[in-house]
Every structure is written in structure tokens, then in C-alpha cells.
Amino acid sequence: MLEFARHKTVPVHRYAAIYYFGGMTLFFFVVQVLTGILLMLYYRPTATEAFESVELIMTNVSFGWLIRSLHSWSANLMIFFAFLHLASVYFTKAYRPPRELTWVTGCVAFFLALGFGFSGYLLPWNELAFFATRVGTQIPSTIPVVGEWIMRFLRGGERVTTATVSRFYGWHVAILPALMVVVLGLHLLLVQLLGMSVPPPAADEARRRRPMPFFPHYALRDFLGWLVALGVLAALAALFPWELGEKADAFAPAPPDIRPEWYFMFMFETLKVMPGGSIGGLEYEAIPILGFGLAALLLLLVPFLDRGVVRRGRSPVFTAVGVVAVVYMVALTAWGYRSLAPVYAVLGAGILVWLFAWAIERHENGGGG
């Protein structure tokens, strides 16, 4: 193992900044685990106690408000960097042979991360989460044959009750983490065994330049990034504590601003524009749901579908499909919030990535001192 670590290297080229996104996602996942364990000491997963237990954490437990805010902010940042990591791997074609299984395990880990977000949203049992979960768990019921069963499986019954919050809690703190540890462990093992992929446009450059030793050079840079991320996370949690809102009332009318988490917003808006009715026994709402399921399956199978990158080293059709998908998700998210903030967030992230890549490139060329 020590011999393997001593000889492990990382390619150096102008796209090398993308290698840090995966490590950043892992960092926020670790924060999720640590803060989640602390929250479990006080949280009560029942409809009558969940809200009060979170309120207790935020008001009476020492630094409880900070732990909960760290947990909530790191959850969103983990999803954000997972999106960034997935997109960078997709557009640089890092899924091409022999890294097909690395891509598949990464996609499964990404879907599990979305599952963490969905199952964790209800746990505070506040008004917004309750009604959003009621809508979210109702949506699969339009799927033919298995729809009603999926809805009852998610809710633990016909309605969103204590059974639902108890079931979501079980998924959130036991089943999903166990699956994530296995999938993530396999993903990281494959990354270590197969090494980092070099984007086709940078292949010649990577061959000319001397690779960077993983220990200690790359590991220390990764660690420095984690320290910066920890500072940003602590600042967000301290300056913008995560709000609890009002306790859910199952008999109250749904609030007008009901909405899911931001990473589900494009799906939510797609479903909202679907008209009522059915065609051939299939409800219109089921069509985009089945479409999203099919898109997830195709995403998983990308390495086996994209043969152009194997034969020619490029695949413009897959790149174009990816661009259209990103534009669609950002546009629908902006439309859902009636704000251009999601567009600015994506542009800001792009600029930050470009500056980060530029700084690394300048340092590698000796211009950074």
C-alpha cells in the first residue's frame, strides 16, 4: 500500500482544476456525517416531537443552531459540488474506457446524494417541508401499475404522517448512508486504481509535462481546499443560520410558496406546466416522470452509449446534449424562483472555476513564485 502511494501521480495540464471537485464533494459528505451524528443525539422522528426537538437543538443545546446550520449548508454545497463534479467528468469525457465502472458508481453516489436531500427535507417537520413532501410523494402515484404502491411505500401509508417521518429518518440515517459507504468506497477505490483521466484535448500536454506526486503534493493541495471550504461553510452557517419556519399543520391549507429543494426545482416546474387529463390511460404528469427516469438511466449508461469518444476521441452530439440539459435545468430553476439568481450562481461558479484553473496553471508554470 505504501509503495502504491509512493508511486501514485496526478496528470498536470490546463484542465487539472477539475480533479479537485470530487474531493470537495467528499469533504462536504464527511461534514454531513459528523454533524448528522450530533443532531441524532437530540432529534425525535415523530410528527408530534420532530419540530420541537429541532427547536430545542437550535435554542437550548450549546452550539446546536450552528451544528444544524452546518449540516444544512453542507448538504446543499455537497449537492452543488456533486453536480459540478458530474458535469466536469461528463464534458471532459472522463467516463471513456477503462473508467466505465467509475462513472457508474459516481452516478449511483450522485443519485444517493439526491436521496439524502429528499429524505432529509421532511425531518424538521415544518410547514414548507410537510407540504413539499406531500406533493413530492404524490407525484409517483401517476405512474401506471406501480405508482400507488410507490406512493404508499414512500409515505408508509396513504398520508404524510408520523410513519412518513419515521420512514424518511430511517432512510436518511441508516439505509442511504450504508449504501453510500459501499458505493463511494468502490468509486474511490476505482479512482485510485485507474488514476485520473486526462481530457482528450489535453492529452499531448499531459504527456509533455511531468506528473505531480499524489503524496504529498496533490494531497496537501486537496487539504488546503478543504480548509478554505470549512471557512466558507462556517461563515455561511454563522451569518445565515438555517431557518426552522413554522410547525406543519396537516389540516391547514398549503402555503402559496410551496417548493422543493433547489436541485429538484426544474423537475417541479416541468410537472407544473403539464395539463390535466390522460392519453391512452396514461396521465400527462406521468410522461415527464417517466422521462426523468429514462434520462437517469441513460446518464448511467453514457460510457456504453458514447462510442464516438472511443473511436475519434470526441463526441460532439453527447456534448451538445449535455449543454442542452444544463441550460434546461438552469432555466427551469430560474423560472421556478422567478429570479435570475440560479443563472448568476452558475455563471459565478464558472468564473471561480476558471480563476482557480488559471491560478493553478500559473503556479505550475512558475509564474506564481
Side-chain angles (χ1 to χ4, degrees):
M1 182 66 75
L2 289 175
E3 193 65 20
F4 173 79
R6 190 177 296 119
H7 291 93
K8 182 174 173 54
T9 58
V10 177
V12 176
H13 50 80
R14 59 187 179 279
Y15 301 115
I18 62 175
Y19 294 148
Y20 296 90
F21 296 154
M24 199 60 75
T25 308
L26 177 63
F27 167 76
F28 287 116
F29 174 70
V30 172
V31 174
Q32 284 282 282
V33 173
L34 297 178
T35 54
I37 291 173
L38 294 176
L39 292 174
M40 284 172 61
L41 299 177
Y42 293 94
Y43 180 72
R44 300 288 181 268
T46 67
T48 55
E49 297 178 294
F51 183 87
E52 285 76 7
S53 65
V54 177
E55 196 172 45
L56 174 75
I57 291 171
M58 296 185 67
T59 55
N60 288 0
V61 177
S62 299
F63 298 104
W65 64 273
L66 182 61
I67 298 298
R68 179 172 179 261
S69 290
L70 288 172
H71 191 74
S72 300
W73 275 110
S74 64
N76 283 271
L77 289 171
M78 180 184 74
I79 298 289
F80 176 77
F81 274 97
F83 264 117
L84 211 56
H85 182 43
L86 183 71
S88 64
V89 171
Y90 179 87
F91 287 113
T92 57
K93 316 299 181 188
Y95 50 73
R96 64 190 186 281
R99 296 178 178 82
E100 297 97 325
L101 192 54
T102 310
W103 167 266
V104 171
T105 53
C107 281
V108 174
F110 177 71
F111 297 148
L112 291 175
L114 294 180
F116 274 112
F118 184 71
S119 59
Y121 197 45
L122 176 67
L123 299 188
W125 198 254
N126 58 29
E127 189 179 52
L128 198 60
F130 173 80
F131 286 103
T133 302
R134 195 165 75 177
V135 173
T137 52
Q138 178 70 34
I139 290 173
S141 66
T142 60
I143 300 174
V145 184
V146 297
E148 289 292 331
W149 179 85
I150 294 176
M151 185 194 73
R152 285 195 296 274
F153 174 76
L154 290 173
R155 291 180 174 180
E158 294 292 334
R159 297 181 294 116
V160 177
T161 61
T162 285
T164 315
V165 71
S166 173
R167 182 162 295 203
F168 275 40
Y169 183 66
W171 279 96
H172 195 72
V173 306
I175 300 174
L176 289 176
L179 293 173
M180 181 63 98
V181 167
V182 173
V183 174
L184 198 57
L186 181 58
H187 182 71
L188 294 175
L189 177 64
L190 289 170
V191 170
Q192 297 305 314
L193 292 177
L194 299 175
M196 278 67 164
S197 171
V198 177
D204 291 337
E205 180 186 356
R207 277 192 289 269
R208 288 196 307 271
R209 301 174 69 166
R210 191 172 63 178
M212 178 192 302
F214 189 88
F215 294 106
H217 297 68
Y218 182 82
L220 285 176
R221 293 175 183 215
D222 226 2
F223 183 66
L224 177 63
W226 291 10
L227 288 179
V228 173
L230 180 61
V232 172
L233 178 63
L236 288 171
L239 297 175
F240 307 102
W242 209 261
E243 294 184 2
L244 179 57
E246 299 291 330
K247 183 176 181 178
D249 180 357
F251 300 102
D257 58 343
I258 178 175
R259 60 174 183 268
E261 292 279 33
W262 59 269
Y263 37 86
F264 292 127
M265 182 61 85
F266 74 97
M267 298 183 188
F268 184 68
E269 287 300 310
T270 303
L271 293 169
K272 279 177 65 177
V273 301
M274 295 303 294
S278 62
I279 178 171
L282 181 66
E283 293 187 35
Y284 288 132
E285 281 189 348
I287 296 174
I289 296 172
L290 295 174
F292 289 133
L294 179 62
L297 178 62
L298 292 177
L299 184 68
L300 204 65
L301 298 176
V302 159
F304 310 102
L305 300 174
D306 183 6
R307 308 315 298 170
V309 73
V310 178
R311 292 192 295 267
R312 302 185 301 274
R314 60 190 182 86
S315 53
V317 173
F318 278 80
T319 300
V321 170
V323 171
V324 170
V326 171
V327 170
Y328 177 80
M329 289 190 289
V330 174
L332 266 289
T333 303
W335 175 258
Y337 285 105
R338 304 294 188 271
S339 166
L340 290 176
V343 179
Y344 297 146
V346 172
L347 292 176
I351 293 173
L352 284 176
V353 170
W354 180 81
L355 288 173
F356 183 51
W358 175 81
I360 291 178
E361 180 71 10
R362 187 166 181 266
H363 178 77
E364 295 299 334
N365 288 329

